[in-house]
Amino acid sequence: MTLKLLSKAAVLAAFAGLLSFGGAVMAATTEAEAPKTQFSFEGPFGKFDQAQLQRGYKVYREVCSACHSMSLVAFRNLGDKGGPFYDPKYPNSNDNPVVKAIAADYMVDDIDTETGDPSKRPAVTADYLVAPFKNEYAARASNGGALPPDMSVLAKARERGPDYIRAIVNGYKAAPAGLTVAPGKYYNPYFPGDMSSSWKGDPNDVPEGGVIGMPPPLRDGSVTFDDGTKSTLDQQATDVAAFLMWAAEPKLNERHQLGAAVLIYLLLLSTLLWFSYKTVWKHESH
Amino acid sequence: MSNLAVGATIDPGHASDDPSRRDFIHIAAIAAAAGGAASVAWPFIDQMNPAADTLALASVEFDLTKVMEGMQVTIKWRGKPLFIRNRSAAEIAAAQKDDNAPMKDPAKDADRVKAGKEQWLILIGTCTHLGCVPTFGGGDWGGWFCPCHGSQYDTAGRIRKGPAPLNLALPDYAFLSDTKVKIG
Amino acid sequence: MSGHSTYTPKTGLTRWLDSRLPILRLAHDSFVDYPTPRNLNYFWTFGGILSLCLGVQIITGIVLAMNYTANAALAFNSVEHIMRDVNYGWLIRYAHANGASMFFIAVYVHMLRGLYYGSYKAPREVLWLLGCVIYLLMMATGFLGYVLPWGQMSFWGATVITNLFSALPLVGPSITTWLWGGFAVDNPTLNRFFSLHYLLPFVIAGVVVLHVWALHVVGQNNPTGVEPKSKADVLPFTPYATVKDGFAMSLFMIMFAVFVFYLPNSLGHADNYIPANPIVTPAHIVPEWYFLPFYAILRAVPDKLMGVLAMFGAIACFFALPWLDTSKVRSMRYRPTARLYFWLFVLSACVLGLCGARLPDDQVIPGLKTFTLIDSDPNSFVWLSRIAALYYFAYFLLITPILGLVEKTSPVPETIASPALNAKKA
């Protein structure tokens, strides 16, 4: 009996192990591990913190959006349930005055139906956030050849995305002596890369991290938060990381809530089926 | 295996079992499973409803100076044609004269336009019969004529003859100025 | 199920239907009155769980196809459109993406159960072969589906897998060009992959029907491996197996729900949220977890063609298994030595999975530098995968045929009912 149990446990363990390998990151990473941040949206009951999203949006709008597009997010999304400017008075985010005002600040491309010429008009809530550059080439040309990635799903496109984003923005350091960093590039211990070729020191002690094309984007006081939160570099980095997670996974609140209901239902169903099973098999040896 | 008949069934001979309690647990389990399956159906049905980006489709603004008197411009709005007709005085008079004529879907001309802007008739350009686009100026009433099944509308867009049951529908719109209208 | 049917239509309508299309009789004989061995354990519930998985994948897939655009320029954004704008789109897409992993978890348990209890042995060879065909089709479908979101992993996964065929001598390059419909993975590739990804699940469903048919001809195996001999050995499928399967499915759904709602991206790869870029390969290419053992075998072999052959050979072993096993005893419950080798096989498959997720030159024991054996350090994942792959093949090609001839087995009970009754007495 014990043996049987043991072998069953072994099967389960083997599969759990196999599963965990699948999700595991490949090794041979040379960058420093991003410190763990406790975000409000983590865990099974996690939710976005609206005040934090508003602060994060301000950082994105005033700093990041100068170079980074966010082409999958529409103005209306900012007022969606769970979003930075959600207001229960306006269940339809297209009616939300804050969202309308944000959209109206931007000009978007249009076509003059009279002449067929390209024209500009103020954005409406249905429009998508306006990209800072016309196309990839323009973006590269303005950024020393590097392409600032679109930020719509950035927080999901990196392992431990929000932690990684916070660490990058927060983690610039002076390049250690012996490391050649090309002009217009910056050393960041959290950025993946292999620097053995530009390292003059001990080949067994290559510094971790890589060189990134983005200059340190934030410093203490870069933005002024409307809610009076002290605008430290770390605060800005944490808030923008949370905002980018919202942009990448706007249905997270809904997902966590529905998940709880589904699990409660399944536990109940399993209990009922267990008793049903026990009743049916009561008099049968097996 | 092939010569086997199924034998064992639930043994009814155990006196300690209360049959009603025994059945209850099965019924509860089946009901819970069925309820779950029914709830799962909803997301699969709801995904076919208009998505958030479709619902957010922008309203359109239109410059009325583009439409000459007695003419109509058709623009696309929410994937459908929208008629913007600049009615002549004679067409307005003809529409008002018929206000009390027998109709399938009685309506006053004044209720189909904005007060003081009687020349502007703005309608969703799909026949209320089966959705074709009626042609401008056709039919006995000089309004629209639907080529598909011969419905005829007057110069207020009211159904006067043919199989269509209702008048041409009015969208939500507002005049931003004398020459600019915002639809939706 | 051969043998006579016990179905008796009770109403006029069912009598009328029964003489024209005996579909109710078929359902009754297959899922109500079907005799199942009374000693089946929970590993036998995975057949039902797999049907559930197939159903979930087909239904969510049809619904996703209603909102997805199979065009290289639009595919990535259409998936994000599903995630952001379509009502419950995020739920349906996460259910489909994680459903694939659930499907493979269930199929691996199902296959290992067959391996352990000798379910492939006569007269169940055709049943087993049909199962292997389903597994192959599942792998093809899983691979094709992973390409559709058109992220970086989609694109480079498609590139690497289609390039496997370039290993074939002479015809290789023509075959890859034909598969791609161009000179690289591009829009024509995406379109045909979408078409095939939609088709294959229905082919799977068809083979499942054959699989169940074959099952009902030969009957279910059971943990003792002894065929049922009398009424005392079996129970009717309904309610005994139905309620047990239902309970197991419900438990399985709990695991499924935890992934969908709380860990929806944990089995995927972050790089697939970067749109496909044909001029930049991600730093680390890894297939989905369910392909990792085969991927490790591919990389363990230093020669391109031999690597591809070894990988396909690893799958072919499953097809050959009924004729490789020489044991007269079906179930490993009575084969203590075989049991040991079986668990070593499971271990080797897991180790291969681990190796597949790592870079070949990574150190197994960090910091321990030894020497170069042939082409790399023995303390590297490439050598670990070579050892595991050798055992993997040895298990099928050497251990299984030889062990059956030389092993000492423990006594096999006369009937299914006897050990059960004995257990009760003891």
Side-chain angles (χ1 to χ4, degrees), chain C residues 135 293-294 297 310-311 313-318 344-345 348-349 352 385-399:
Chain C
Y135 175 55
F294 301 107
I297 291 175
M311 188 179 80
I315 302 165
C317 286
F318 283 99
L344 282 174
F345 169 76
S348 78
L352 282 168
S385 58
R386 281 171 189 166
I387 296 162
L390 271 181
Y391 181 79
Y392 181 103
F393 284 108
Y395 178 76
F396 284 105
L397 303 176
L398 294 173
I399 297 169

PDB file of all heavy atoms in Angstrom, chain C residues 135 293-294 297 310-311 313-318 344-345 348-349 352 385-399:
ATOM      1  N   TYR C 135      -1.706  10.875 -31.007  1.00  0.00           N
ATOM      2  CA  TYR C 135      -0.631  11.642 -30.363  1.00  0.00           C
ATOM      3  C   TYR C 135       0.172  12.425 -31.408  1.00  0.00           C
ATOM      4  O   TYR C 135       0.451  13.608 -31.229  1.00  0.00           O
ATOM      5  CB  TYR C 135       0.267  10.676 -29.585  1.00  0.00           C
ATOM      6  CG  TYR C 135       1.492  11.304 -28.973  1.00  0.00           C
ATOM      7  CD1 TYR C 135       1.380  12.393 -28.124  1.00  0.00           C
ATOM      8  CD2 TYR C 135       2.759  10.810 -29.243  1.00  0.00           C
ATOM      9  CE1 TYR C 135       2.500  12.980 -27.567  1.00  0.00           C
ATOM     10  CE2 TYR C 135       3.889  11.379 -28.684  1.00  0.00           C
ATOM     11  CZ  TYR C 135       3.756  12.476 -27.846  1.00  0.00           C
ATOM     12  OH  TYR C 135       4.873  13.047 -27.294  1.00  0.00           O
ATOM     13  N   PRO C 293      11.293  16.963 -24.511  1.00  0.00           N
ATOM     14  CA  PRO C 293      12.121  15.755 -24.556  1.00  0.00           C
ATOM     15  C   PRO C 293      12.606  15.432 -25.977  1.00  0.00           C
ATOM     16  O   PRO C 293      13.765  15.057 -26.163  1.00  0.00           O
ATOM     17  CB  PRO C 293      11.186  14.659 -24.036  1.00  0.00           C
ATOM     18  CG  PRO C 293      10.181  15.385 -23.211  1.00  0.00           C
ATOM     19  CD  PRO C 293       9.998  16.717 -23.873  1.00  0.00           C
ATOM     20  N   PHE C 294      11.742  15.628 -26.949  1.00  0.00           N
ATOM     21  CA  PHE C 294      12.139  15.305 -28.320  1.00  0.00           C
ATOM     22  C   PHE C 294      13.143  16.329 -28.845  1.00  0.00           C
ATOM     23  O   PHE C 294      14.065  16.006 -29.581  1.00  0.00           O
ATOM     24  CB  PHE C 294      10.905  15.232 -29.225  1.00  0.00           C
ATOM     25  CG  PHE C 294       9.929  14.200 -28.750  1.00  0.00           C
ATOM     26  CD1 PHE C 294       8.739  14.572 -28.160  1.00  0.00           C
ATOM     27  CD2 PHE C 294      10.224  12.852 -28.855  1.00  0.00           C
ATOM     28  CE1 PHE C 294       7.860  13.620 -27.685  1.00  0.00           C
ATOM     29  CE2 PHE C 294       9.353  11.890 -28.383  1.00  0.00           C
ATOM     30  CZ  PHE C 294       8.162  12.277 -27.793  1.00  0.00           C
ATOM     31  N   ILE C 297      16.481  15.389 -27.626  1.00  0.00           N
ATOM     32  CA  ILE C 297      17.071  14.287 -28.396  1.00  0.00           C
ATOM     33  C   ILE C 297      17.643  14.835 -29.704  1.00  0.00           C
ATOM     34  O   ILE C 297      18.745  14.478 -30.123  1.00  0.00           O
ATOM     35  CB  ILE C 297      16.005  13.196 -28.655  1.00  0.00           C
ATOM     36  CG1 ILE C 297      15.666  12.500 -27.338  1.00  0.00           C
ATOM     37  CG2 ILE C 297      16.497  12.198 -29.694  1.00  0.00           C
ATOM     38  CD1 ILE C 297      14.550  11.485 -27.435  1.00  0.00           C
ATOM     39  N   ALA C 310      16.744  10.669 -35.130  1.00  0.00           N
ATOM     40  CA  ALA C 310      16.632  10.228 -33.730  1.00  0.00           C
ATOM     41  C   ALA C 310      15.354  10.772 -33.115  1.00  0.00           C
ATOM     42  O   ALA C 310      14.643  10.068 -32.395  1.00  0.00           O
ATOM     43  CB  ALA C 310      17.846  10.697 -32.935  1.00  0.00           C
ATOM     44  N   MET C 311      15.045  12.043 -33.429  1.00  0.00           N
ATOM     45  CA  MET C 311      13.852  12.643 -32.843  1.00  0.00           C
ATOM     46  C   MET C 311      12.590  11.919 -33.306  1.00  0.00           C
ATOM     47  O   MET C 311      11.731  11.569 -32.500  1.00  0.00           O
ATOM     48  CB  MET C 311      13.781  14.122 -33.217  1.00  0.00           C
ATOM     49  CG  MET C 311      12.688  14.834 -32.488  1.00  0.00           C
ATOM     50  SD  MET C 311      12.632  16.565 -32.900  1.00  0.00           S
ATOM     51  CE  MET C 311      11.786  16.490 -34.431  1.00  0.00           C
ATOM     52  N   GLY C 313      12.557   8.960 -34.510  1.00  0.00           N
ATOM     53  CA  GLY C 313      12.687   7.592 -34.024  1.00  0.00           C
ATOM     54  C   GLY C 313      12.142   7.449 -32.608  1.00  0.00           C
ATOM     55  O   GLY C 313      11.551   6.426 -32.251  1.00  0.00           O
ATOM     56  N   ALA C 314      12.341   8.496 -31.808  1.00  0.00           N
ATOM     57  CA  ALA C 314      11.873   8.457 -30.420  1.00  0.00           C
ATOM     58  C   ALA C 314      10.355   8.308 -30.383  1.00  0.00           C
ATOM     59  O   ALA C 314       9.805   7.666 -29.485  1.00  0.00           O
ATOM     60  CB  ALA C 314      12.297   9.725 -29.692  1.00  0.00           C
ATOM     61  N   ILE C 315       9.679   8.906 -31.370  1.00  0.00           N
ATOM     62  CA  ILE C 315       8.223   8.773 -31.430  1.00  0.00           C
ATOM     63  C   ILE C 315       7.861   7.424 -32.044  1.00  0.00           C
ATOM     64  O   ILE C 315       6.919   6.753 -31.622  1.00  0.00           O
ATOM     65  CB  ILE C 315       7.624   9.944 -32.241  1.00  0.00           C
ATOM     66  CG1 ILE C 315       8.017  11.269 -31.594  1.00  0.00           C
ATOM     67  CG2 ILE C 315       6.106   9.810 -32.324  1.00  0.00           C
ATOM     68  CD1 ILE C 315       7.796  12.483 -32.459  1.00  0.00           C
ATOM     69  N   ALA C 316       8.662   6.994 -33.035  1.00  0.00           N
ATOM     70  CA  ALA C 316       8.387   5.727 -33.713  1.00  0.00           C
ATOM     71  C   ALA C 316       8.452   4.553 -32.740  1.00  0.00           C
ATOM     72  O   ALA C 316       7.762   3.549 -32.927  1.00  0.00           O
ATOM     73  CB  ALA C 316       9.375   5.535 -34.858  1.00  0.00           C
ATOM     74  N   CYS C 317       9.274   4.683 -31.691  1.00  0.00           N
ATOM     75  CA  CYS C 317       9.383   3.615 -30.700  1.00  0.00           C
ATOM     76  C   CYS C 317       8.021   3.242 -30.129  1.00  0.00           C
ATOM     77  O   CYS C 317       7.736   2.078 -29.860  1.00  0.00           O
ATOM     78  CB  CYS C 317      10.286   4.053 -29.557  1.00  0.00           C
ATOM     79  SG  CYS C 317      12.024   4.069 -29.991  1.00  0.00           S
ATOM     80  N   PHE C 318       7.178   4.256 -29.929  1.00  0.00           N
ATOM     81  CA  PHE C 318       5.851   3.993 -29.369  1.00  0.00           C
ATOM     82  C   PHE C 318       5.032   3.113 -30.319  1.00  0.00           C
ATOM     83  O   PHE C 318       4.299   2.233 -29.888  1.00  0.00           O
ATOM     84  CB  PHE C 318       5.117   5.306 -29.098  1.00  0.00           C
ATOM     85  CG  PHE C 318       5.589   6.006 -27.870  1.00  0.00           C
ATOM     86  CD1 PHE C 318       6.482   7.059 -27.944  1.00  0.00           C
ATOM     87  CD2 PHE C 318       5.151   5.590 -26.621  1.00  0.00           C
ATOM     88  CE1 PHE C 318       6.919   7.699 -26.798  1.00  0.00           C
ATOM     89  CE2 PHE C 318       5.582   6.229 -25.465  1.00  0.00           C
ATOM     90  CZ  PHE C 318       6.474   7.285 -25.558  1.00  0.00           C
ATOM     91  N   LEU C 344      12.615   4.368 -14.407  1.00  0.00           N
ATOM     92  CA  LEU C 344      13.826   4.990 -14.954  1.00  0.00           C
ATOM     93  C   LEU C 344      13.515   5.635 -16.306  1.00  0.00           C
ATOM     94  O   LEU C 344      14.038   6.694 -16.647  1.00  0.00           O
ATOM     95  CB  LEU C 344      14.940   3.948 -15.110  1.00  0.00           C
ATOM     96  CG  LEU C 344      15.664   3.587 -13.826  1.00  0.00           C
ATOM     97  CD1 LEU C 344      16.648   2.445 -14.072  1.00  0.00           C
ATOM     98  CD2 LEU C 344      16.399   4.800 -13.258  1.00  0.00           C
ATOM     99  N   PHE C 345      12.633   4.989 -17.070  1.00  0.00           N
ATOM    100  CA  PHE C 345      12.231   5.569 -18.355  1.00  0.00           C
ATOM    101  C   PHE C 345      11.508   6.907 -18.134  1.00  0.00           C
ATOM    102  O   PHE C 345      11.787   7.893 -18.822  1.00  0.00           O
ATOM    103  CB  PHE C 345      11.327   4.589 -19.113  1.00  0.00           C
ATOM    104  CG  PHE C 345      10.664   5.220 -20.310  1.00  0.00           C
ATOM    105  CD1 PHE C 345      11.384   5.461 -21.475  1.00  0.00           C
ATOM    106  CD2 PHE C 345       9.326   5.596 -20.266  1.00  0.00           C
ATOM    107  CE1 PHE C 345      10.784   6.063 -22.573  1.00  0.00           C
ATOM    108  CE2 PHE C 345       8.718   6.210 -21.366  1.00  0.00           C
ATOM    109  CZ  PHE C 345       9.453   6.444 -22.517  1.00  0.00           C
ATOM    110  N   SER C 348      14.039   9.366 -17.349  1.00  0.00           N
ATOM    111  CA  SER C 348      14.835   9.786 -18.507  1.00  0.00           C
ATOM    112  C   SER C 348      14.056  10.783 -19.354  1.00  0.00           C
ATOM    113  O   SER C 348      14.606  11.759 -19.858  1.00  0.00           O
ATOM    114  CB  SER C 348      15.265   8.577 -19.346  1.00  0.00           C
ATOM    115  OG  SER C 348      14.202   8.116 -20.149  1.00  0.00           O
ATOM    116  N   ALA C 349      12.736  10.559 -19.504  1.00  0.00           N
ATOM    117  CA  ALA C 349      11.915  11.491 -20.282  1.00  0.00           C
ATOM    118  C   ALA C 349      11.872  12.858 -19.596  1.00  0.00           C
ATOM    119  O   ALA C 349      11.972  13.893 -20.263  1.00  0.00           O
ATOM    120  CB  ALA C 349      10.507  10.929 -20.459  1.00  0.00           C
ATOM    121  N   LEU C 352      15.197  14.521 -20.068  1.00  0.00           N
ATOM    122  CA  LEU C 352      15.268  15.061 -21.428  1.00  0.00           C
ATOM    123  C   LEU C 352      14.483  16.365 -21.523  1.00  0.00           C
ATOM    124  O   LEU C 352      14.910  17.317 -22.180  1.00  0.00           O
ATOM    125  CB  LEU C 352      14.728  14.040 -22.434  1.00  0.00           C
ATOM    126  CG  LEU C 352      15.681  12.899 -22.790  1.00  0.00           C
ATOM    127  CD1 LEU C 352      14.956  11.806 -23.560  1.00  0.00           C
ATOM    128  CD2 LEU C 352      16.862  13.427 -23.603  1.00  0.00           C
ATOM    129  N   SER C 385      21.705  15.033 -21.768  1.00  0.00           N
ATOM    130  CA  SER C 385      20.634  14.616 -22.673  1.00  0.00           C
ATOM    131  C   SER C 385      21.078  13.396 -23.489  1.00  0.00           C
ATOM    132  O   SER C 385      20.258  12.560 -23.855  1.00  0.00           O
ATOM    133  CB  SER C 385      20.198  15.766 -23.575  1.00  0.00           C
ATOM    134  OG  SER C 385      21.268  16.256 -24.317  1.00  0.00           O
ATOM    135  N   ARG C 386      22.378  13.272 -23.758  1.00  0.00           N
ATOM    136  CA  ARG C 386      22.850  12.075 -24.478  1.00  0.00           C
ATOM    137  C   ARG C 386      22.639  10.821 -23.630  1.00  0.00           C
ATOM    138  O   ARG C 386      22.176   9.789 -24.127  1.00  0.00           O
ATOM    139  CB  ARG C 386      24.323  12.227 -24.840  1.00  0.00           C
ATOM    140  CG  ARG C 386      24.494  13.107 -26.050  1.00  0.00           C
ATOM    141  CD  ARG C 386      25.938  13.465 -26.309  1.00  0.00           C
ATOM    142  NE  ARG C 386      25.973  14.479 -27.355  1.00  0.00           N
ATOM    143  CZ  ARG C 386      27.039  15.204 -27.643  1.00  0.00           C
ATOM    144  NH1 ARG C 386      28.161  15.018 -26.990  1.00  0.00           N
ATOM    145  NH2 ARG C 386      26.980  16.098 -28.605  1.00  0.00           N
ATOM    146  N   ILE C 387      22.975  10.945 -22.343  1.00  0.00           N
ATOM    147  CA  ILE C 387      22.806   9.781 -21.453  1.00  0.00           C
ATOM    148  C   ILE C 387      21.322   9.420 -21.363  1.00  0.00           C
ATOM    149  O   ILE C 387      20.939   8.256 -21.510  1.00  0.00           O
ATOM    150  CB  ILE C 387      23.386  10.094 -20.047  1.00  0.00           C
ATOM    151  CG1 ILE C 387      24.892  10.321 -20.163  1.00  0.00           C
ATOM    152  CG2 ILE C 387      23.060   8.988 -19.064  1.00  0.00           C
ATOM    153  CD1 ILE C 387      25.494  11.040 -18.972  1.00  0.00           C
ATOM    154  N   ALA C 388      20.481  10.440 -21.160  1.00  0.00           N
ATOM    155  CA  ALA C 388      19.052  10.183 -21.023  1.00  0.00           C
ATOM    156  C   ALA C 388      18.480   9.622 -22.321  1.00  0.00           C
ATOM    157  O   ALA C 388      17.656   8.709 -22.311  1.00  0.00           O
ATOM    158  CB  ALA C 388      18.334  11.468 -20.628  1.00  0.00           C
ATOM    159  N   ALA C 389      18.941  10.153 -23.466  1.00  0.00           N
ATOM    160  CA  ALA C 389      18.430   9.677 -24.747  1.00  0.00           C
ATOM    161  C   ALA C 389      18.845   8.227 -24.985  1.00  0.00           C
ATOM    162  O   ALA C 389      18.064   7.411 -25.483  1.00  0.00           O
ATOM    163  CB  ALA C 389      18.936  10.561 -25.879  1.00  0.00           C
ATOM    164  N   LEU C 390      20.073   7.901 -24.579  1.00  0.00           N
ATOM    165  CA  LEU C 390      20.529   6.513 -24.739  1.00  0.00           C
ATOM    166  C   LEU C 390      19.629   5.577 -23.944  1.00  0.00           C
ATOM    167  O   LEU C 390      19.210   4.530 -24.421  1.00  0.00           O
ATOM    168  CB  LEU C 390      21.971   6.382 -24.239  1.00  0.00           C
ATOM    169  CG  LEU C 390      23.044   6.656 -25.283  1.00  0.00           C
ATOM    170  CD1 LEU C 390      24.422   6.474 -24.667  1.00  0.00           C
ATOM    171  CD2 LEU C 390      22.873   5.716 -26.482  1.00  0.00           C
ATOM    172  N   TYR C 391      19.321   5.987 -22.706  1.00  0.00           N
ATOM    173  CA  TYR C 391      18.449   5.130 -21.906  1.00  0.00           C
ATOM    174  C   TYR C 391      17.059   5.039 -22.538  1.00  0.00           C
ATOM    175  O   TYR C 391      16.454   3.962 -22.589  1.00  0.00           O
ATOM    176  CB  TYR C 391      18.331   5.636 -20.459  1.00  0.00           C
ATOM    177  CG  TYR C 391      17.446   4.713 -19.665  1.00  0.00           C
ATOM    178  CD1 TYR C 391      17.949   3.505 -19.187  1.00  0.00           C
ATOM    179  CD2 TYR C 391      16.095   4.985 -19.495  1.00  0.00           C
ATOM    180  CE1 TYR C 391      17.131   2.608 -18.539  1.00  0.00           C
ATOM    181  CE2 TYR C 391      15.271   4.090 -18.834  1.00  0.00           C
ATOM    182  CZ  TYR C 391      15.790   2.896 -18.363  1.00  0.00           C
ATOM    183  OH  TYR C 391      14.975   2.005 -17.739  1.00  0.00           O
ATOM    184  N   TYR C 392      16.565   6.186 -23.034  1.00  0.00           N
ATOM    185  CA  TYR C 392      15.244   6.228 -23.669  1.00  0.00           C
ATOM    186  C   TYR C 392      15.151   5.164 -24.774  1.00  0.00           C
ATOM    187  O   TYR C 392      14.225   4.362 -24.810  1.00  0.00           O
ATOM    188  CB  TYR C 392      15.020   7.632 -24.237  1.00  0.00           C
ATOM    189  CG  TYR C 392      13.691   7.873 -24.910  1.00  0.00           C
ATOM    190  CD1 TYR C 392      12.690   8.584 -24.268  1.00  0.00           C
ATOM    191  CD2 TYR C 392      13.433   7.403 -26.191  1.00  0.00           C
ATOM    192  CE1 TYR C 392      11.472   8.823 -24.876  1.00  0.00           C
ATOM    193  CE2 TYR C 392      12.216   7.632 -26.821  1.00  0.00           C
ATOM    194  CZ  TYR C 392      11.246   8.344 -26.158  1.00  0.00           C
ATOM    195  OH  TYR C 392      10.041   8.571 -26.765  1.00  0.00           O
ATOM    196  N   PHE C 393      16.151   5.166 -25.653  1.00  0.00           N
ATOM    197  CA  PHE C 393      16.114   4.197 -26.757  1.00  0.00           C
ATOM    198  C   PHE C 393      16.381   2.784 -26.260  1.00  0.00           C
ATOM    199  O   PHE C 393      15.769   1.834 -26.731  1.00  0.00           O
ATOM    200  CB  PHE C 393      17.123   4.591 -27.841  1.00  0.00           C
ATOM    201  CG  PHE C 393      16.642   5.749 -28.672  1.00  0.00           C
ATOM    202  CD1 PHE C 393      17.197   7.007 -28.548  1.00  0.00           C
ATOM    203  CD2 PHE C 393      15.594   5.574 -29.570  1.00  0.00           C
ATOM    204  CE1 PHE C 393      16.738   8.072 -29.298  1.00  0.00           C
ATOM    205  CE2 PHE C 393      15.119   6.642 -30.330  1.00  0.00           C
ATOM    206  CZ  PHE C 393      15.699   7.887 -30.197  1.00  0.00           C
ATOM    207  N   ALA C 394      17.284   2.658 -25.286  1.00  0.00           N
ATOM    208  CA  ALA C 394      17.588   1.332 -24.755  1.00  0.00           C
ATOM    209  C   ALA C 394      16.345   0.709 -24.131  1.00  0.00           C
ATOM    210  O   ALA C 394      16.104  -0.494 -24.248  1.00  0.00           O
ATOM    211  CB  ALA C 394      18.706   1.427 -23.725  1.00  0.00           C
ATOM    212  N   TYR C 395      15.528   1.557 -23.491  1.00  0.00           N
ATOM    213  CA  TYR C 395      14.326   1.034 -22.850  1.00  0.00           C
ATOM    214  C   TYR C 395      13.433   0.333 -23.866  1.00  0.00           C
ATOM    215  O   TYR C 395      12.946  -0.774 -23.629  1.00  0.00           O
ATOM    216  CB  TYR C 395      13.554   2.168 -22.163  1.00  0.00           C
ATOM    217  CG  TYR C 395      12.279   1.676 -21.524  1.00  0.00           C
ATOM    218  CD1 TYR C 395      12.323   0.969 -20.325  1.00  0.00           C
ATOM    219  CD2 TYR C 395      11.050   1.865 -22.139  1.00  0.00           C
ATOM    220  CE1 TYR C 395      11.165   0.478 -19.752  1.00  0.00           C
ATOM    221  CE2 TYR C 395       9.879   1.385 -21.570  1.00  0.00           C
ATOM    222  CZ  TYR C 395       9.950   0.690 -20.368  1.00  0.00           C
ATOM    223  OH  TYR C 395       8.804   0.192 -19.803  1.00  0.00           O
ATOM    224  N   PHE C 396      13.247   0.980 -25.014  1.00  0.00           N
ATOM    225  CA  PHE C 396      12.372   0.389 -26.033  1.00  0.00           C
ATOM    226  C   PHE C 396      13.064  -0.754 -26.780  1.00  0.00           C
ATOM    227  O   PHE C 396      12.469  -1.798 -26.999  1.00  0.00           O
ATOM    228  CB  PHE C 396      11.958   1.461 -27.047  1.00  0.00           C
ATOM    229  CG  PHE C 396      10.909   2.400 -26.530  1.00  0.00           C
ATOM    230  CD1 PHE C 396      11.231   3.693 -26.157  1.00  0.00           C
ATOM    231  CD2 PHE C 396       9.593   1.984 -26.419  1.00  0.00           C
ATOM    232  CE1 PHE C 396      10.264   4.562 -25.678  1.00  0.00           C
ATOM    233  CE2 PHE C 396       8.613   2.844 -25.945  1.00  0.00           C
ATOM    234  CZ  PHE C 396       8.955   4.134 -25.572  1.00  0.00           C
ATOM    235  N   LEU C 397      14.325  -0.513 -27.183  1.00  0.00           N
ATOM    236  CA  LEU C 397      14.944  -1.411 -28.153  1.00  0.00           C
ATOM    237  C   LEU C 397      15.706  -2.562 -27.506  1.00  0.00           C
ATOM    238  O   LEU C 397      15.890  -3.601 -28.136  1.00  0.00           O
ATOM    239  CB  LEU C 397      15.872  -0.613 -29.071  1.00  0.00           C
ATOM    240  CG  LEU C 397      15.167   0.539 -29.804  1.00  0.00           C
ATOM    241  CD1 LEU C 397      16.164   1.343 -30.622  1.00  0.00           C
ATOM    242  CD2 LEU C 397      14.035   0.019 -30.689  1.00  0.00           C
ATOM    243  N   LEU C 398      16.142  -2.414 -26.258  1.00  0.00           N
ATOM    244  CA  LEU C 398      16.902  -3.493 -25.612  1.00  0.00           C
ATOM    245  C   LEU C 398      16.172  -4.045 -24.384  1.00  0.00           C
ATOM    246  O   LEU C 398      15.885  -5.231 -24.309  1.00  0.00           O
ATOM    247  CB  LEU C 398      18.288  -2.982 -25.176  1.00  0.00           C
ATOM    248  CG  LEU C 398      19.236  -2.590 -26.307  1.00  0.00           C
ATOM    249  CD1 LEU C 398      20.491  -1.947 -25.743  1.00  0.00           C
ATOM    250  CD2 LEU C 398      19.599  -3.842 -27.110  1.00  0.00           C
ATOM    251  N   ILE C 399      15.862  -3.162 -23.445  1.00  0.00           N
ATOM    252  CA  ILE C 399      15.331  -3.626 -22.166  1.00  0.00           C
ATOM    253  C   ILE C 399      13.996  -4.340 -22.353  1.00  0.00           C
ATOM    254  O   ILE C 399      13.807  -5.459 -21.874  1.00  0.00           O
ATOM    255  CB  ILE C 399      15.204  -2.441 -21.186  1.00  0.00           C
ATOM    256  CG1 ILE C 399      16.597  -1.868 -20.913  1.00  0.00           C
ATOM    257  CG2 ILE C 399      14.511  -2.859 -19.907  1.00  0.00           C
ATOM    258  CD1 ILE C 399      16.602  -0.554 -20.186  1.00  0.00           C
TER     259      ILE C 399
END
